Every structure is written in C-alpha cells, then in structure tokens.
Amino acid sequence: MQKIEHIGIAVTDIDASNKIFEKVFGKENYKSEKVESEGVVTSFFQIGENKIELVAATNPDSPISKFLSRNREGMHHIAFAVDNIEVEMERLKNEGITLLNDVPKKGADNKLICFLHPNSTNGVLIELCQEIK
Ligand code: ZN
C-alpha cells in the first residue's frame, strides 16, 4: 500500500454536512459525486495532501443506511492507495483477510475500489483505491 488516500465520514444529510465541513476546513469541497452502484453520494475536501470524503446514502439498501442504523454519524472508513488493486486483493486474500467484493468495483473520484471486511481488521473498515489510468 502506498499511503492513506482518504478518510471516509458517514453522514445523513450531505448538504448539511458540506456546510459544517466548509466551516471546519475553511474551504469548499472540490467534488461531489453520486455512485449509483453503492447507493451513495460523496463529497470530497482536499486538505493539503489529504482528502476527506463525506458519504451519505441515496437509498435505504445502501451500506451507509445500514451503517447509520447501527452507528452514529462519523468515522466510517480509511482508504489506502494501491498501485495494482488486483495484486493487492490477491495478496490480502492469501494473508487470510476477508474482502467484501471478489472483483474491484468502480468507486467515486475515478477509482477502482475494494473494501476489506472489518471482522478481519480489528473493526476498521479499510478501502483499497487504485486510480483508473
Ligand atoms: Zn472512500
């Protein structure tokens, strides 16, 4: 893995949360994007070299809806940039880590993504991200 790509924060109302984090960061988001396949809408803030992703559900079956039915809004996942997501997924599988999808999915911000099951990683939801070239 190369570096932390972004930190994901689960929110119920993306517009209200954009306003809060605009105040916190002193700047506007640089991108907002719906990911239909995941049932989410995302909003990205660039803070120096780091990115924060706000993520809200767009339907009741979304993983974010399920998360927010069990947890308060807040820290949701840590995403790591990888060079080759398929190689990294294979390596992690061989290490006994459970992946939430068998093949990479198209995520927000021009990325191929894969989540690791938090039961394999001390309760931390980890996302792998590979830039689509
Ligand atoms: Zn993410």
Side-chain angles (χ1 to χ4, degrees):
M1 296 192 193
Q2 298 169 324
K3 61 166 187 171
I4 293 177
E5 212 287 328
H6 63 266
I7 293 172
I9 296 174
V11 303
T12 38
D13 180 335
I14 198 86
D15 294 327
S17 296
N18 271 332
K19 292 198 180 80
I20 292 168
F21 284 95
E22 277 169 18
K23 285 183 205 164
V24 171
F25 299 140
K27 56 160 69 172
E28 290 186 2
N29 67 348
Y30 69 91
K31 174 186 275 197
S32 185
E33 189 179 342
K34 269 193 181 153
V35 185
E36 297 293 348
S37 59
E38 292 287 289
V40 299
V41 58
T42 62
S43 173
F44 286 91
F45 290 83
Q46 186 80 45
I47 314 298
E49 290 180 359
N50 303 304
K51 290 194 279 187
I52 301 293
E53 174 189 41
L54 306 183
V55 56
T58 54
N59 70 62
D61 297 324
S62 163
I64 297 300
S65 302
K66 287 171 190 155
F67 176 83
L68 290 174
S69 70
R70 296 189 304 263
N71 304 277
R72 298 176 58 172
E73 294 178 290
M75 274 287 307
H76 181 255
H77 64 271
I78 303 176
F80 291 90
V82 299
D83 248 343
N84 182 326
I85 196 165
E86 282 168 0
V87 167
E88 201 64 17
M89 286 168 70
E90 194 57 37
R91 183 184 73 78
L92 290 164
K93 250 190 273 182
N94 290 334
E95 293 287 2
I97 305 291
T98 307
L99 309 180
L100 286 177
N101 40 298
D102 291 331
V103 290
K105 292 204 263 189
K106 174 92 171 66
D109 206 24
N110 193 42
K111 299 286 192 297
L112 288 174
I113 63 166
C114 175
F115 284 94
L116 313 186
H117 199 295
N119 285 353
S120 298
T121 50
N122 284 133
V124 180
L125 181 59
I126 292 176
E127 177 184 10
L128 307 178
C129 284
Q130 181 203 308
E131 187 89 29
I132 299 171
K133 283 133 194 165

